[in-house]
Amino acid sequence: MKNYKYLLKNIGLLTISQFGTKFLSFFLVPLYTSFLTTTEYGIYDVINTTISLLIPICTLNIMQSVMRFSLEKNSDKTAIFSIGIKIYAIGFFIVSLFTMINKQFNFIPIISEYAVYFVLIFICFSLQELLVNFARGLNNVLVISISGILNTCLTVFFNILFLVVLNLSLVGYFLACILGTIGTIIYLAVQLKVWQYLRFSFKNLTLKQEMLAYSIPLILNSIAWWINNASDRYIIIMLCGIASNGIYSVAYKIPNILNIFQTIFNQAWVLSTVDNYDKDDTNGFFSNTYNVYNFGMVALCSLLIISTKVLAHFLYAKDFYNAWIYVPFLSIAIIFGAMSGHIGGIFSAVKNSKIFSYTTTVGAILNLVLNYILVTRFGAIGAAIATTISYYVVWLTRLFFVKKYITLKINLLRDHLAYLMLLAQTFLILFFESTIWIYGLEVMIFIIIMIMYKDILLRGLEIIKVKLK
């Protein structure tokens, strides 16, 4: 029971942070779609997506090692953090040099035009990620939660100031993200008292080699996930134009509701796997959490598909409304990404980062091939379909490899039937008019899914009942 309490406590604290962060960001979508054009949003998305690729490459993914090695009870936190900061500084230098060269020769015009913001976003986002991972390694979930809320409040304030009051358009959007993140970095640095862990003269080559041996294989994993998550944007730009990418990018805002739960759970889950790893899963902790997590994601995805058009009416202004057609497939993809993350926590517990890379690379290669074929044939919705298929393959591949490390008791037949139900809901909403009969069928499918998982649902209700008493 202790392991469940630890997991639930962390989920609760992270929920406070993520709900505030993600939901306020979610309700800012109408602001973005009203004050930014599809092209401007597409430009921001390209820059943000490019930075998300550069962070793990230029920092050698050291953030993941900082978190994983700090979790060990007798680890030298000062040495770990100092190594992390030094490698981060090298990454900052590399990106700055790349940006200056690009500015001089204009290889990538978009980055050249917004060079200063590009560097600042890299500095802020990567440093924030390093500090958050160090806080996770110190098991300071409360600080992470408050930092998330602070980041949201600052970002919302600066967005309203720069977009609505000062009408700075895309530049205002960049400034809001940068200043919101700087405020969060200051809070994290003060709360963690990072100066106590920082020693520039400190050298521990053995520890550094161990940390890099863990983090470097994860670079390939990060690149592969980036391909799965972001390569579709570049192919859409190439084949359909940057405005189409703006619409496709904003489509992720509704599936991000699911992403909230995925982020909360996976952050808490990694902390639990390290402490509670058991190859035979004697007490059923790993199997039970997998089954409950999968059921929760499927149920939420089903509800999200039903309400897609309604949410789109409220969130997507003007030309952005057509983004709703991408939402169902992207939502299903997030389920497979979430379950892949759950299994990945086990690989993290046994410090096998190579399987991360291998499984994600398989999905990435498939994603690139399918993206080109399907976007050429069907337009931007082909990218959403390609993402769903590649995520499914990553999940299936990780399920195969995880058998070596743990025995999971899961009902794959039932799970696959549930996924087929979600596809049925997707085809109903995409190819039929939104009549009361169609919505009736959608709700009926949701009820069937609930019946399929009634054992998990009833067990959960029983636990809640006992806790309330």
Side-chain angles (χ1 to χ4, degrees):
M1 186 57 70
K2 183 181 176 183
N3 45 12
Y4 289 104
K5 287 182 178 178
Y6 178 67
L7 176 62
L8 290 172
K9 182 195 80 171
N10 288 335
I11 287 174
L13 288 170
L14 290 166
T15 298
I16 295 170
S17 165
Q18 293 294 330
F19 263 78
T21 304
K22 301 296 183 181
F23 268 104
L24 277 176
S25 300
F26 178 74
F27 288 115
L28 278 175
V29 174
L31 179 71
Y32 300 147
T33 56
S34 296
F35 286 87
L36 297 174
T37 66
T38 54
T39 300
E40 286 172 335
Y41 197 91
I43 291 171
Y44 171 80
D45 183 70
V46 168
I47 288 178
N48 189 50
T49 303
T50 304
I51 288 171
S52 69
L53 171 65
L54 290 177
I55 287 175
I57 294 174
C58 296
T59 64
L60 301 179
N61 233 332
I62 199 65
M63 293 80 164
Q64 297 298 319
S65 276
V66 167
M67 184 271 292
R68 179 62 187 84
F69 282 76
S70 297
L71 280 172
E72 295 179 356
K73 293 178 182 178
N74 298 320
S75 60
D76 187 341
K77 307 295 192 293
T78 299
I80 292 167
F81 185 70
S82 298
I83 290 168
I85 282 290
K86 288 177 183 177
I87 294 175
Y88 158 77
I90 294 170
F92 158 56
F93 173 76
I94 291 169
V95 169
S96 300
L97 183 63
F98 158 77
T99 308
M100 286 189 291
I101 294 171
N102 183 71
K103 182 77 174 175
Q104 184 68 33
F105 297 99
N106 203 29
F107 297 125
I108 308 173
I110 290 177
I111 294 176
S112 180
E113 185 177 355
Y114 298 97
V116 174
Y117 303 109
F118 184 83
V119 173
L120 287 175
I121 290 173
F122 176 88
I123 294 169
C124 294
F125 283 18
S126 53
L127 182 55
Q128 181 190 29
E129 187 177 338
L130 177 63
L131 293 176
V132 167
N133 274 284
F134 188 53
R136 289 171 69 190
L138 296 177
N139 234 327
N140 204 332
V141 183
L142 181 61
V143 168
I144 299 171
S145 302
I146 295 172
S147 71
I149 295 170
L150 176 64
N151 182 262
T152 301
C153 294
L154 290 172
T155 304
V156 169
F157 169 76
F158 287 122
N159 265 304
I160 293 171
L161 175 64
F162 294 136
L163 292 180
V164 180
V165 180
L166 300 179
N167 197 26
L168 294 180
S169 194
L170 181 57
V171 169
Y173 193 13
F174 283 134
L175 289 173
C177 293
I178 292 165
L179 293 175
T181 308
I182 288 174
T184 310
I185 289 169
I186 293 170
Y187 169 79
L188 285 166
V190 171
Q191 287 298 314
L192 297 174
K193 298 178 181 177
V194 294
W195 53 87
Q196 295 181 355
Y197 300 98
L198 195 56
R199 299 288 185 275
F200 287 109
S201 60
F202 188 88
K203 290 183 179 180
N204 188 332
L205 291 177
T206 303
L207 178 61
K208 183 179 179 180
Q209 288 170 355
E210 289 175 0
M211 289 177 66
L212 290 175
Y214 178 81
S215 68
I216 288 175
L218 289 173
I219 296 174
L220 182 58
N221 178 65
S222 297
I223 293 171
W225 270 128
W226 181 88
I227 291 171
N228 280 315
N229 289 323
S231 63
D232 46 5
R233 321 286 179 87
Y234 292 91
I235 291 174
I236 288 171
I237 290 171
M238 182 174 66
L239 299 176
C240 306
I242 198 162
S244 294
N245 179 58
I247 295 171
Y248 182 79
S249 301
V250 86
Y252 272 95
K253 296 300 181 180
I254 293 177
N256 271 346
I257 296 173
L258 274 176
N259 220 17
I260 295 170
F261 296 94
Q262 177 199 357
T263 304
I264 292 168
F265 183 87
N266 282 345
Q267 286 182 356
W269 178 242
V270 170
L271 301 178
S272 291
T273 54
V274 175
D275 285 339
N276 300 296
Y277 173 68
D278 172 16
K279 180 176 174 60
D280 298 319
D281 195 22
T282 309
N283 60 3
F285 175 61
F286 285 81
S287 298
N288 290 338
T289 51
Y290 180 96
N291 288 322
V292 172
Y293 185 32
N294 180 69
F295 162 67
M297 293 297 288
V298 168
L300 285 169
C301 182
S302 178
L303 290 173
L304 209 57
I305 292 171
I306 294 171
S307 55
T308 293
K309 285 188 176 181
V310 177
L311 290 171
H313 274 294
F314 287 104
L315 295 174
Y316 301 155
K318 301 179 292 188
D319 296 338
F320 286 95
Y321 175 73
N322 289 332
W324 76 265
I325 64 173
Y326 312 124
V327 171
F329 281 114
L330 293 175
S331 300
I332 296 171
I334 286 176
I335 294 178
F336 297 126
M339 303 323 297
S340 297
H342 180 282
I343 298 167
I346 299 168
F347 298 141
S348 180
V350 297
K351 286 188 178 178
N352 192 333
S353 54
K354 291 180 181 178
I355 293 183
F356 276 112
S357 303
Y358 175 77
T359 54
T360 317
T361 301
V362 170
I365 294 169
L366 180 63
N367 186 279
L368 281 173
V369 174
L370 288 177
N371 259 315
Y372 187 79
I373 294 170
L374 296 178
V375 173
T376 302
R377 180 70 179 83
F378 301 109
I381 197 168
I385 297 169
T387 299
T388 304
I389 295 171
S390 61
Y391 272 48
Y392 171 77
V393 170
V394 173
W395 166 71
L396 212 57
T397 311
R398 287 192 177 182
L399 265 182
F400 174 79
F401 281 106
V402 83
K403 293 176 183 177
K404 178 181 176 182
Y405 300 101
I406 199 167
T407 303
L408 288 178
K409 301 175 184 69
I410 56 179
N411 190 335
L412 282 177
L413 176 60
R414 178 176 64 180
D415 292 344
H416 276 89
L417 287 173
Y419 303 148
L420 288 173
M421 293 285 186
L422 296 178
L423 285 175
Q425 285 185 306
T426 298
F427 286 116
L428 282 172
I429 201 169
L430 286 178
F431 297 112
F432 294 91
E433 284 190 39
S434 301
T435 64
I436 191 169
W437 298 107
I438 293 299
Y439 277 111
L441 283 172
E442 295 273 4
V443 171
M444 189 180 297
I445 292 173
F446 172 75
I447 293 170
I448 292 170
I449 290 172
M450 299 299 284
I451 293 170
M452 288 168 57
Y453 288 98
K454 67 179 185 300
D455 57 325
I456 295 174
L457 182 61
L458 291 173
R459 193 185 311 139
L461 292 173
E462 185 65 30
I463 292 171
I464 293 170
K465 184 180 176 182
V466 170
K467 291 295 179 185
L468 288 175
K469 283 183 178 179

